[in-house]
Amino acid sequence: MSELVTGEAVALELRPARLPSRALAVLLDLIVAIAAYTGVTVALMFSTASLDDAAQVAMSIAAFVLVLVGGPIAVETLSHGRSLGKLAFGLRVVRDDGGPIRFRHALVRGAIGVIEILMTFGVVACIASLVSARGRRLGDVFAGTLVVRERVSAGQTAFVPPPPPWLTGRFAELDLSAVPDGLWLAIRQYLTRMQQLDPQVGWAMAERLATDLVARTGAPAPQSVPPAAYLAAVVQERQARDVRRAFGNGVVGGVPAGGFGPGAGVPGAFGNSAFQPSPAPQQPYGSAPPIWRAPAAGAEADQVAPSPELPAPQNTAPAEPRSSTGFAPPA
């Protein structure tokens, strides 16, 4: 398995596509694009027969730009990185942090692709892909994108744990526009591997990432929220925005797109003091701080016990009964 490593020495478990599959996908896309261009050219020849030579040349150039350049850009933008060839071979174009691409990414890839694929018959793209350790061509390097294999075993995919229910939707108003892709990548990989880290090391890494995230968003993190839970909640909010941007406010798989509403499935998660986190008690000097841990991937929520490292809440009043979620609010 090929891994991407960030500046924070965190490995991203994306699986970059290699040259053979990418070449076949590009070949299929070119066949479709050339067929469409040929059809448009023939139609223009009959419709512009009465025009002068200059007008015919202008129409031919416009058809070339719209079909062979604008077509792939539009397809990648609307399909979020999956053209016909990539769909056939199980590939997708994503950002360096694993998120969906936008118009600017597709525009840069398409504009540079004219030179390294169309004008040089793919020679420059093949050389760049062979030289790159991640199989990226020049368009991917300048656009900050990567072509990855999308058809992988479900057991090999990285599990990004959800935040505690009482944090869901709490950061809906947070401004995430200034957060760079590299920081998102580091946060994502920390969340997928937090259970494998030593508690002290994991807590220190979560605090550092949370501090970097706060500096980019300009909003302080809640004092009563563990840094790992704060990171998970912000990542979930970003994923919800990506889903809303991709699918609108419709229903995806029976769930409203981006439908991470506050306190979803947790009655009274907001506005009921029994479900709110209490102030953290003072830790004795030299003791390991409690760290929020996610349930194991594939485990049922009502079968996962809270982490033993989290101290029990100090509320003396009896709490209202509710179903177990596998997470306990920090004490």
Side-chain angles (χ1 to χ4, degrees), residues 54-74:
Q56 292 180 1
V57 171
M59 295 295 292
S60 299
I61 295 176
F64 175 85
V65 173
L66 290 178
V67 177
L68 295 182
V69 181
I73 295 175

mmCIF file of all heavy atoms in Angstrom, residues 54-74:
data_model
loop_
_atom_site.group_PDB
_atom_site.id
_atom_site.type_symbol
_atom_site.label_atom_id
_atom_site.label_comp_id
_atom_site.label_asym_id
_atom_site.label_seq_id
_atom_site.Cartn_x
_atom_site.Cartn_y
_atom_site.Cartn_z
ATOM 1 N N ALA A 54 -12.225 32.818 -42.446
ATOM 2 C CA ALA A 54 -11.875 33.289 -41.107
ATOM 3 C C ALA A 54 -12.922 32.873 -40.077
ATOM 4 O O ALA A 54 -12.594 32.444 -38.958
ATOM 5 C CB ALA A 54 -11.711 34.803 -41.109
ATOM 6 N N ALA A 55 -14.181 32.969 -40.454
ATOM 7 C CA ALA A 55 -15.253 32.580 -39.535
ATOM 8 C C ALA A 55 -15.229 31.075 -39.285
ATOM 9 O O ALA A 55 -15.450 30.605 -38.160
ATOM 10 C CB ALA A 55 -16.601 33.013 -40.088
ATOM 11 N N GLN A 56 -14.938 30.307 -40.332
ATOM 12 C CA GLN A 56 -14.872 28.860 -40.161
ATOM 13 C C GLN A 56 -13.716 28.460 -39.247
ATOM 14 O O GLN A 56 -13.848 27.558 -38.414
ATOM 15 C CB GLN A 56 -14.736 28.178 -41.519
ATOM 16 C CG GLN A 56 -15.974 28.306 -42.404
ATOM 17 C CD GLN A 56 -15.795 27.611 -43.740
ATOM 18 O OE1 GLN A 56 -14.754 27.016 -44.007
ATOM 19 N NE2 GLN A 56 -16.821 27.691 -44.588
ATOM 20 N N VAL A 57 -12.581 29.124 -39.400
ATOM 21 C CA VAL A 57 -11.429 28.841 -38.522
ATOM 22 C C VAL A 57 -11.766 29.206 -37.082
ATOM 23 O O VAL A 57 -11.434 28.465 -36.130
ATOM 24 C CB VAL A 57 -10.177 29.599 -39.006
ATOM 25 C CG1 VAL A 57 -9.054 29.483 -37.971
ATOM 26 C CG2 VAL A 57 -9.722 29.068 -40.342
ATOM 27 N N ALA A 58 -12.424 30.328 -36.880
ATOM 28 C CA ALA A 58 -12.801 30.743 -35.529
ATOM 29 C C ALA A 58 -13.766 29.746 -34.894
ATOM 30 O O ALA A 58 -13.643 29.405 -33.704
ATOM 31 C CB ALA A 58 -13.425 32.136 -35.555
ATOM 32 N N MET A 59 -14.713 29.255 -35.680
ATOM 33 C CA MET A 59 -15.652 28.266 -35.148
ATOM 34 C C MET A 59 -14.946 26.956 -34.822
ATOM 35 O O MET A 59 -15.265 26.287 -33.827
ATOM 36 C CB MET A 59 -16.766 28.029 -36.158
ATOM 37 C CG MET A 59 -17.656 29.247 -36.410
ATOM 38 S SD MET A 59 -18.588 29.728 -34.957
ATOM 39 C CE MET A 59 -19.707 28.348 -34.809
ATOM 40 N N SER A 60 -13.962 26.573 -35.617
ATOM 41 C CA SER A 60 -13.211 25.345 -35.349
ATOM 42 C C SER A 60 -12.404 25.468 -34.057
ATOM 43 O O SER A 60 -12.349 24.526 -33.250
ATOM 44 C CB SER A 60 -12.280 25.040 -36.529
ATOM 45 O OG SER A 60 -13.017 24.849 -37.718
ATOM 46 N N ILE A 61 -11.779 26.621 -33.851
ATOM 47 C CA ILE A 61 -11.012 26.826 -32.615
ATOM 48 C C ILE A 61 -11.943 26.819 -31.408
ATOM 49 O O ILE A 61 -11.623 26.229 -30.360
ATOM 50 C CB ILE A 61 -10.226 28.154 -32.702
ATOM 51 C CG1 ILE A 61 -9.172 28.071 -33.812
ATOM 52 C CG2 ILE A 61 -9.570 28.467 -31.357
ATOM 53 C CD1 ILE A 61 -8.410 29.356 -34.032
ATOM 54 N N ALA A 62 -13.098 27.451 -31.541
ATOM 55 C CA ALA A 62 -14.054 27.469 -30.437
ATOM 56 C C ALA A 62 -14.540 26.064 -30.114
ATOM 57 O O ALA A 62 -14.675 25.681 -28.937
ATOM 58 C CB ALA A 62 -15.230 28.381 -30.777
ATOM 59 N N ALA A 63 -14.784 25.271 -31.144
ATOM 60 C CA ALA A 63 -15.216 23.892 -30.910
ATOM 61 C C ALA A 63 -14.129 23.085 -30.219
ATOM 62 O O ALA A 63 -14.400 22.275 -29.319
ATOM 63 C CB ALA A 63 -15.603 23.243 -32.239
ATOM 64 N N PHE A 64 -12.871 23.292 -30.623
ATOM 65 C CA PHE A 64 -11.753 22.585 -29.992
ATOM 66 C C PHE A 64 -11.651 22.936 -28.514
ATOM 67 O O PHE A 64 -11.500 22.054 -27.649
ATOM 68 C CB PHE A 64 -10.450 22.938 -30.718
ATOM 69 C CG PHE A 64 -9.215 22.363 -30.064
ATOM 70 C CD1 PHE A 64 -8.813 21.075 -30.357
ATOM 71 C CD2 PHE A 64 -8.481 23.113 -29.160
ATOM 72 C CE1 PHE A 64 -7.681 20.534 -29.763
ATOM 73 C CE2 PHE A 64 -7.350 22.585 -28.557
ATOM 74 C CZ PHE A 64 -6.954 21.294 -28.857
ATOM 75 N N VAL A 65 -11.735 24.228 -28.212
ATOM 76 C CA VAL A 65 -11.603 24.654 -26.815
ATOM 77 C C VAL A 65 -12.770 24.160 -25.973
ATOM 78 O O VAL A 65 -12.581 23.667 -24.848
ATOM 79 C CB VAL A 65 -11.492 26.195 -26.743
ATOM 80 C CG1 VAL A 65 -11.532 26.674 -25.296
ATOM 81 C CG2 VAL A 65 -10.210 26.667 -27.417
ATOM 82 N N LEU A 66 -13.986 24.258 -26.501
ATOM 83 C CA LEU A 66 -15.162 23.877 -25.728
ATOM 84 C C LEU A 66 -15.247 22.369 -25.506
ATOM 85 O O LEU A 66 -15.587 21.915 -24.406
ATOM 86 C CB LEU A 66 -16.428 24.376 -26.425
ATOM 87 C CG LEU A 66 -16.648 25.899 -26.412
ATOM 88 C CD1 LEU A 66 -17.910 26.252 -27.188
ATOM 89 C CD2 LEU A 66 -16.750 26.415 -24.984
ATOM 90 N N VAL A 67 -14.924 21.567 -26.525
ATOM 91 C CA VAL A 67 -15.109 20.120 -26.432
ATOM 92 C C VAL A 67 -13.918 19.437 -25.783
ATOM 93 O O VAL A 67 -14.065 18.666 -24.825
ATOM 94 C CB VAL A 67 -15.389 19.520 -27.821
ATOM 95 C CG1 VAL A 67 -15.507 17.997 -27.732
ATOM 96 C CG2 VAL A 67 -16.657 20.107 -28.394
ATOM 97 N N LEU A 68 -12.717 19.712 -26.273
ATOM 98 C CA LEU A 68 -11.537 18.994 -25.794
ATOM 99 C C LEU A 68 -10.918 19.606 -24.553
ATOM 100 O O LEU A 68 -10.135 18.934 -23.869
ATOM 101 C CB LEU A 68 -10.483 18.927 -26.909
ATOM 102 C CG LEU A 68 -10.877 18.111 -28.143
ATOM 103 C CD1 LEU A 68 -9.745 18.076 -29.159
ATOM 104 C CD2 LEU A 68 -11.272 16.699 -27.749
ATOM 105 N N VAL A 69 -11.226 20.854 -24.241
ATOM 106 C CA VAL A 69 -10.673 21.492 -23.039
ATOM 107 C C VAL A 69 -11.783 21.736 -22.012
ATOM 108 O O VAL A 69 -11.681 21.299 -20.857
ATOM 109 C CB VAL A 69 -9.962 22.814 -23.393
ATOM 110 C CG1 VAL A 69 -9.380 23.452 -22.128
ATOM 111 C CG2 VAL A 69 -8.846 22.561 -24.401
ATOM 112 N N GLY A 70 -12.827 22.419 -22.432
ATOM 113 C CA GLY A 70 -13.899 22.720 -21.486
ATOM 114 C C GLY A 70 -14.707 21.505 -21.078
ATOM 115 O O GLY A 70 -15.201 21.427 -19.950
ATOM 116 N N GLY A 71 -14.852 20.531 -21.985
ATOM 117 C CA GLY A 71 -15.616 19.333 -21.663
ATOM 118 C C GLY A 71 -15.060 18.559 -20.476
ATOM 119 O O GLY A 71 -15.775 18.298 -19.503
ATOM 120 N N PRO A 72 -13.758 18.158 -20.498
ATOM 121 C CA PRO A 72 -13.199 17.450 -19.339
ATOM 122 C C PRO A 72 -13.249 18.256 -18.046
ATOM 123 O O PRO A 72 -13.466 17.694 -16.962
ATOM 124 C CB PRO A 72 -11.751 17.185 -19.773
ATOM 125 C CG PRO A 72 -11.801 17.158 -21.266
ATOM 126 C CD PRO A 72 -12.826 18.176 -21.636
ATOM 127 N N ILE A 73 -13.069 19.576 -18.159
ATOM 128 C CA ILE A 73 -13.130 20.408 -16.949
ATOM 129 C C ILE A 73 -14.529 20.374 -16.353
ATOM 130 O O ILE A 73 -14.702 20.226 -15.135
ATOM 131 C CB ILE A 73 -12.691 21.850 -17.278
ATOM 132 C CG1 ILE A 73 -11.226 21.886 -17.687
ATOM 133 C CG2 ILE A 73 -12.944 22.773 -16.099
ATOM 134 C CD1 ILE A 73 -10.746 23.247 -18.153
ATOM 135 N N ALA A 74 -15.532 20.516 -17.200
ATOM 136 C CA ALA A 74 -16.912 20.497 -16.715
ATOM 137 C C ALA A 74 -17.278 19.139 -16.127
ATOM 138 O O ALA A 74 -17.933 19.055 -15.082
ATOM 139 C CB ALA A 74 -17.869 20.866 -17.853
#
